[in-house]
Amino acid sequence: MEHVDLLIKKLTKYVSFGQPVSSGSVFNQRISDPRIPISAYYMTMKLHNEEERCYHEVWLTKEGLFAVTEAWYTETTVTRKLLHNDLTYEQLMETYGEEEAKSVVVRMTEIISKSEADDWNRSFFSKRM
């Protein structure tokens, strides 16, 4: 999984790591909303239980590992619980599913590509001015 490690290292240059809100408004998060004590960047989610509107979400932590949360969405709020923390990519595949873990790699690649294109555009236009 050396390829994934390189992607993670590259990705950490482009994203900012915040703390995922464990509960609160989906539209207007407040500093007082309860938080899961990790710094992470949101990657993806999959439906876990349609009836309960429960999802499993994957987060990339600033340490380069993965966390999985369980999230319940209502019309305007979300409540999260940390299921797994400090997972390697291999462990993520085991707990979250191989196809879903591959979608995380695709998302990382897309973020890097877009960020590099934005960097190129900024440097191109700043040199022309």
Side-chain angles (χ1 to χ4, degrees):
M1 290 293 115
E2 197 173 305
H3 170 70
V4 174
D5 293 337
L6 290 173
L7 280 176
I8 291 170
K9 187 173 183 172
K10 202 170 197 180
L11 181 68
T12 59
K13 293 190 291 187
Y14 296 113
V15 299
S16 58
F17 294 92
Q19 292 185 331
V21 175
S22 61
S23 62
S25 171
V26 175
F27 304 109
N28 187 20
Q29 296 177 354
R30 295 177 201 72
I31 197 76
S32 61
D33 289 342
R35 296 179 183 268
I36 296 172
I38 58 173
S39 293
Y41 184 81
Y42 175 81
M43 297 305 297
T44 189
M45 70 166 45
K46 74 174 182 177
L47 184 62
H48 177 66
N49 183 324
E50 187 172 1
E51 189 175 295
E52 294 180 14
R53 298 179 77 179
C54 178
Y55 296 83
H56 284 176
E57 303 169 317
V58 174
W59 302 81
L60 176 65
T61 67
K62 69 179 181 179
E63 293 80 22
L65 297 170
F66 296 94
V68 177
T69 56
E70 195 165 48
W72 295 267
Y73 285 85
T74 63
E75 286 80 35
T76 59
T77 61
V78 60
T79 302
R80 290 189 175 99
K81 178 178 102 179
L82 185 62
L83 292 179
H84 304 284
N85 195 14
D86 297 332
L87 297 175
T88 64
Y89 181 73
E90 292 82 9
Q91 292 169 322
L92 179 68
M93 284 194 304
E94 291 171 18
T95 59
Y96 194 63
E98 191 171 334
E99 286 301 312
E100 289 81 3
K102 287 179 182 178
S103 73
V104 170
V105 171
V106 169
R107 176 149 159 75
M108 288 191 289
T109 304
E110 289 171 348
I111 293 168
I112 292 167
S113 295
K114 182 176 180 345
S115 298
E116 287 176 344
D118 289 348
D119 279 354
W120 185 85
N121 284 336
R122 275 192 291 267
S123 67
F124 176 76
F125 287 115
S126 66
K127 289 177 185 175
R128 297 195 68 182
M129 304 231 164

